[in-house]
Amino acid sequence: DASAMQWLPASATKGLKYPYLFTQSQAIHARSLMPCQDSPGIKTEYTARVTAPKWCTVLMSALADTDKVTEGEKNVFVWKQPNPTPAYLVALAAGNLESREISHRVRVWAEPEVVESALFEFSETEDFVQAAEELTGCPYQWQRYDILCLPPSFPYGGMENPCLTFATPTLLAGDKSLADVIAHEIAHSWTGNLVTNHTWDHFWLNEGWTVWLERKITAKVRKNEEFGRLSSQVGWKHLQDDVKLLGETNPFTALTWKLAFGEDPDNAYSGVPYEKGANLLMYLEEVVGTELFSQFVFSYIDTFKFNTVTTGAFRDHFVSFFDKLAAAEAETNTTPTKSNKKKKNKNKNNKDKEDGPSAAAANAVQAIKGLDWNSLFYSTGLPTDVTSFSNSLSKAAEDLARKWIALSATYKTDAPPAGCSATDLEGWSTMQKNVFLETLQNYTKKSLSHPSDVFTAAFLELMDRTYSFGASKNAEIMLRWQTLCLESEAEWIVDPVVDFITSQGRMKFARPLYRLLRASTIGKQIAIDTFEAKKDIYHPIARKMIAADLRRAAEAEEKEAIESQLEAEAELSSSAAKVDTTPVVTTVETESDDEAEVVPQKAPEEVVTAPTAFAVGTPEATSKGLSDQTPAPMGSPDRSITPDFSTPAATPTVTPAATPAKIATPVAPAPTPAKEPTPAPTPVATPAKEPTPQATPVATPAAKEATPAPTPVATPAKAATPAPTPAATPAAKEPTPAPTPVKEATPAKVAPAAAPVAAAPAPVAKKEDAAPQRRPVATSHEVSTFSWSGVSIFVALAGAVGFGAFFFTRRFRR
Ligand SMILES: [Zn+2]
């Protein structure tokens, strides 16, 4: 029942033949998987040894250390992550998997039925990685970048597990139009995985930077700066929606949080750290100029790589970088070196040119002095210093939407607006179509008080005949199209909506559509019945969230009924005015999409039965849109998961393998006192820098059998317990190490207590070195055990020992 794991029965996979397992550790689920210091500020290298049935391919967020070895009826996989990584980035997946090469370091993994589509969809991955290397000035440090396309129940868009990004199958749009999610996960290879937020209070440093970099990557690869602004515009709407949902004064709408001790970081999750974080970086870029900001990015990554960073450290580094730059340039300009003299003479009449660079740095320093850092980091609500997103791409979409809106007012004939036709959207990106549909949504929302202004079903049918949104294979477009139609109460959209939300379990799509269906007059009961009948197909986290959404809707209805009754009674007797009708305060949860979802704190225990498949075998089942995609399963399993694989048997045992207890990167102190931006801790030493050659990147298809499974690492005094459990299964595939960054997975919130280990979520501000203060926790490697129908997977997570050793080292050192 580890909250980090989701066990899927064969019926929930595309192939329908074998079960499937995947983990999701962010933010604080790693503790349910292994003994560890489950805080992002603590990093360590690790090794792992996994035993699985022969049919099964095992993948981890690490490099294959040796070829797969057969031991009896099972295969043994050995993994090694040579870079220091935090526990939340430890991931494992196992199932009937195949791979295809994209480049010397990039490969896609998926079930055989989906692998070709994944290969096509993610074919630009190597270009993205190269673009990120250029933008950060830092070579890719994880050796392999593999992508695992998960089953449809994956509740998130992606998760940036090092060497092996986990991705939702809803990205398989058939036209590479959703590849920006992969750009996001790739960006995490630098911002998040290499430079990590010191505690979850500073989550914006992971996600804000990653969104910023993701947009730079896509703009660079597409050779069009407008893409970045277009994406920012769509992101801005997301931010507005989330701030509205949370409330403008909600402390979690500030960039830097102050999570209480023991509080689940997912409680704070929303689009805020992503979009508000990216907005701050865009603003700073504007303040100092793009050219100088690029230099700062190089310095930031180089300074903090393999380490962690706090908000204060970020600010201090930013300030000092420009101070030094200005000083150096001033010196260059005033020191009469030979070459300088020459230059000066040469440019005697061109002072501007001569002083250009140093003046720019000095100007930047001046501008930085005017920044109100406290406000930037700690103010709640929408940011005030926002860069303009205006761009030609969104303007075209908004103009077209306005034509349709104008037509809707006088709509009589069954013809599109003058000059409009199916070719309007030709060449448009997904983002542009999103802007078009969101512009229409904004209009209908505003018109709700004038129901006659809302689009009619016939009008929407005309739009669909013109642009075929209902037949789109793109899940993002499907979401917005169905949202628009539901808000307009077009009855014929109900069936497609039901198809869509039962064919994949990504929370970004399922949750809002369930809520809208429930709120509509045309689908209220259908929403309730559909969930009741299909809830087992969802990942436990998604199931819990949708159930909570529906419950809240019911409660709100009830409350409203009571209030109106009270009002009526109050009217009857004027003296009743004193009746206390204070409404119960309900907590609002953001609907974070892809990334981490806000999981209701104490969700009612639900008995989870094994998920039954999404419309796996029936591609067409999905609404016209996603036909044969398999929605990806999301990472974070819920505590309530009950793996119910029929086979009683074998329980794979995870055994901590040898673990090199290394000390990972020193963590920067995480100060973040209340207001003041905390003094920036300077990260310091970065242990493992160079990529370690070693990795055995690729999997070797051909099975190499029989190699004694070497246990890579030395095992310190602890006994590594290799626990091979033989479960033979025919056909074996080989795993290949695959690094993969994922999008933003946000781990579901977990019940705090998961594991035996003390890991602590975000420590409270002001404690420097919060980590060391934690209780020591189990260092002994406890063995986690999970079972999988008759098979056992035996994972030796040396990392467990490593984390423990790191902890003690730090603790006793001080
Ligand atoms: Zn992310």
Side-chain angles (χ1 to χ4, degrees):
D1 60 352
S3 64
M5 317 190 83
Q6 186 178 19
W7 302 83
L8 296 172
S11 61
T13 65
K14 194 76 178 173
L16 304 171
K17 270 192 248 160
Y18 301 101
Y20 200 105
L21 164 69
F22 66 87
T23 66
Q24 167 64 37
S25 297
Q26 196 184 30
I28 56 172
H29 296 269
R31 63 194 64 180
S32 73
L33 199 59
M34 61 188 175
C36 61
Q37 294 301 314
D38 196 5
S39 177
I42 298 169
K43 295 182 172 185
T44 188
E45 300 89 344
Y46 68 87
T47 58
R49 189 166 187 276
V50 185
T51 305
K54 285 191 177 170
W55 60 264
C56 180
T57 294
V58 177
L59 300 178
M60 280 198 75
S61 52
L63 302 168
D65 198 53
T66 61
D67 290 325
K68 174 185 68 184
V69 171
T70 300
E71 283 184 3
E73 296 301 304
K74 302 210 170 183
N75 284 329
V76 176
F77 301 88
V78 180
W79 301 90
K80 179 175 187 173
Q81 179 48 267
N83 288 343
T85 54
Y88 81 86
L89 290 177
V90 172
L92 177 150
N96 179 26
L97 302 169
E98 271 187 18
S99 70
R100 296 288 185 275
E101 297 287 329
I102 287 180
S103 76
H104 65 289
R105 59 182 167 182
V106 177
R107 173 186 304 127
V108 290
W109 286 94
E111 287 185 73
E113 296 80 3
V114 191
V115 73
E116 291 298 337
S117 321
L119 171 65
F120 172 79
E121 210 73 38
F122 305 139
S123 64
E124 301 165 300
T125 304
E126 175 62 32
D127 296 337
F128 288 156
V129 176
Q130 287 178 16
E133 288 180 314
E134 288 169 30
L135 289 161
T136 57
C138 174
Y140 182 70
Q141 299 290 317
W142 306 87
Q143 300 185 55
R144 289 216 54 91
Y145 183 87
D146 287 0
I147 300 170
L148 170 63
C149 189
L150 289 156
S153 67
F154 188 58
Y156 304 107
M159 177 62 210
E160 69 269 19
N161 301 312
C163 306
L164 183 68
T165 283
F166 282 13
T168 165
T170 60
L171 299 182
L172 305 178
D175 58 3
K176 307 182 188 180
S177 56
L178 299 177
D180 54 327
V181 171
I182 295 301
H184 180 97
E185 302 314 326
I186 287 170
H188 269 307
S189 304
W190 285 265
T191 53
N193 298 1
L194 205 56
V195 177
T196 310
N197 48 213
H198 183 62
T199 70
W200 297 117
D201 279 346
H202 309 280
F203 188 48
W204 77 272
L205 286 164
N206 267 24
E207 296 302 343
W209 267 113
T210 299
V211 170
W212 179 88
L213 185 52
E214 161 206 331
R215 288 174 182 154
K216 292 284 180 186
I217 292 170
T218 47
K220 191 175 178 72
V221 171
R222 312 257 185 253
K223 298 182 172 62
N224 187 345
E225 285 299 320
E226 300 273 276
F227 274 105
R229 281 192 286 277
L230 180 63
S231 173
S232 298
Q233 181 171 338
V234 173
W236 178 253
K237 182 176 188 298
H238 183 191
L239 178 60
Q240 283 178 310
D241 290 348
D242 276 4
V243 167
K244 196 174 170 194
L245 204 59
L246 288 163
E248 288 199 345
T249 57
N250 186 316
F252 293 143
T253 62
L255 262 193
T256 307
W257 304 331
K258 298 183 190 82
L259 292 161
F261 185 83
E263 184 165 13
D264 188 329
D266 285 344
N267 289 345
Y269 186 86
S270 77
V272 170
Y274 295 78
E275 295 299 337
K276 195 172 182 178
N279 267 292
L280 172 63
L281 296 169
M282 282 188 283
Y283 172 62
L284 295 178
E285 180 178 354
E286 207 171 66
V287 166
V288 301
T290 295
E291 175 61 35
L292 294 185
F293 193 77
S294 304
Q295 292 178 36
F296 166 68
V297 173
F298 282 28
S299 168
Y300 174 73
I301 299 291
D302 189 57
T303 302
F304 294 97
K305 65 187 176 188
F306 299 109
N307 219 313
T308 63
V309 64
T310 62
T311 300
F314 161 77
R315 180 211 51 201
D316 289 356
H317 187 69
F318 184 78
V319 171
S320 71
F321 173 81
F322 287 100
D323 282 348
K324 284 180 198 159
L325 196 62
E329 285 177 349
E331 194 178 335
T332 306
N333 286 341
T334 54
T335 309
T337 59
K338 261 186 192 172
S339 65
N340 241 355
K341 258 186 191 166
K342 240 184 181 174
K343 254 199 204 161
K344 263 204 164 133
N345 291 334
K346 199 177 167 192
N347 293 310
K348 224 183 225 165
N349 300 320
N350 192 352
K351 198 169 183 312
D352 284 351
K353 205 170 184 181
E354 174 69 11
D355 291 347
S358 62
N363 290 342
V365 168
Q366 278 311 113
I368 291 168
K369 282 181 181 154
L371 295 175
D372 180 354
W373 293 105
N374 280 343
S375 167
L376 293 172
F377 295 143
Y378 302 104
S379 289
T380 61
L382 290 170
T384 48
D385 301 300
V386 179
T387 319
S388 165
F389 306 126
S390 150
N391 64 88
S392 62
L393 299 175
S394 64
K395 190 173 176 305
E398 289 160 347
D399 287 348
L400 182 63
R402 275 191 282 271
K403 286 186 191 171
W404 281 87
I405 288 169
L407 174 70
S408 73
T410 57
Y411 175 68
K412 286 199 180 76
T413 60
D414 192 24
C420 291
S421 71
T423 59
D424 294 342
L425 309 188
E426 265 175 23
W428 279 25
S429 65
T430 297
M431 290 279 185
Q432 280 177 289
K433 292 173 189 168
N434 289 346
V435 169
F436 172 77
L437 291 168
E438 286 177 355
T439 304
L440 296 174
Q441 280 173 23
N442 287 339
Y443 172 76
T444 55
K445 267 177 196 151
K446 279 177 202 151
S447 303
L448 285 182
S449 51
H450 305 86
S452 57
D453 287 347
V454 173
F455 303 136
T456 62
F459 179 80
L460 289 168
E461 272 182 299
L462 166 64
M463 190 181 290
D464 197 25
R465 277 201 299 280
T466 309
Y467 300 134
S468 306
F469 289 126
S472 174
K473 295 186 87 176
N474 184 310
E476 295 286 344
I477 291 170
M478 185 58 69
L479 168 69
R480 289 166 178 84
W481 169 246
Q482 295 190 345
T483 296
L484 179 67
C485 294
L486 275 179
E487 286 179 341
S488 300
E489 303 264 348
E491 200 159 1
W492 46 262
I493 201 68
V494 172
D495 286 348
V497 167
V498 170
D499 286 343
F500 186 35
I501 60 182
T502 56
S503 65
Q504 49 79 36
R506 187 172 167 190
M507 291 189 285
K508 177 178 186 179
F509 306 137
R511 287 187 64 194
L513 289 172
Y514 261 110
R515 284 196 298 258
L516 276 171
L517 197 59
R518 173 68 177 73
S520 71
T521 56
I522 53 176
K524 176 179 164 182
Q525 195 54 44
I526 293 172
I528 297 167
D529 296 344
T530 300
F531 181 69
E532 197 47 44
K534 302 282 191 176
K535 63 186 175 191
D536 290 343
I537 65 176
Y538 299 106
H539 183 284
I541 291 174
R543 179 164 52 236
K544 191 184 277 185
M545 300 307 292
I546 296 167
D549 288 342
L550 297 178
R551 192 173 54 242
R552 264 191 297 276
E555 286 166 359
E557 260 179 9
E558 220 170 290
K559 195 177 106 191
E560 205 175 309
I562 293 173
E563 280 173 356
S564 53
Q565 195 184 337
L566 286 176
E567 265 173 39
E569 286 170 6
E571 272 174 26
L572 285 180
S573 69
S574 51
S575 62
K578 286 164 200 156
V579 175
D580 180 9
T581 57
T582 312
V584 180
V585 179
T586 349
T587 310
V588 181
E589 286 173 11
T590 35
E591 67 191 65
S592 40
D593 357 6
D594 274 351
E595 325 244 42
E597 282 283 337
V598 177
V599 182
Q601 230 13 347
K602 284 168 192 169
E605 276 291 304
E606 289 173 35
V607 178
V608 179
T609 33
T612 41
F614 280 94
V616 179
T618 29
E620 305 293 305
T622 354
S623 68
K624 307 162 188 180
L626 296 180
S627 29
D628 68 5
Q629 323 203 11
T630 350
M634 217 22 167
S636 17
D638 219 30
R639 263 144 191 249
S640 50
I641 288 190
T642 330
D644 105 277
F645 290 97
S646 35
T647 345
T651 351
T653 356
V654 178
T655 345
T659 0
K662 297 186 165 189
I663 304 251
T665 24
V667 181
T672 7
K675 317 212 131 190
E676 278 302 277
T678 20
T682 352
V684 197
T686 8
K689 307 194 145 189
E690 280 304 285
T692 5
Q694 255 226 70
T696 347
V698 190
T700 1
K704 304 174 150 220
E705 303 262 25
T707 342
T711 346
V713 189
T715 359
K718 296 148 168 233
T721 354
T725 339
T729 355
K733 276 141 175 240
E734 324 239 13
T736 5
T740 350
V742 182
K743 276 210 155 192
E744 346 200 1
T746 359
K749 354 193 104 231
V750 177
V757 186
V764 188
K766 281 194 176 167
K767 295 202 169 172
E768 286 216 1
D769 282 325
Q773 305 192 345
R774 287 270 133 106
R775 229 45 315 201
V777 187
T779 10
S780 64
H781 26 303
E782 298 184 8
V783 179
S784 317
T785 310
F786 21 97
S787 60
W788 191 352
S789 69
V791 182
S792 44
I793 292 189
F794 158 107
V795 184
L797 283 172
V801 179
F803 284 115
F806 171 68
F807 171 81
F808 279 118
T809 308
R810 273 185 67 82
R811 184 173 175 80
F812 293 124
R813 237 190 217 159
R814 297 193 141 247

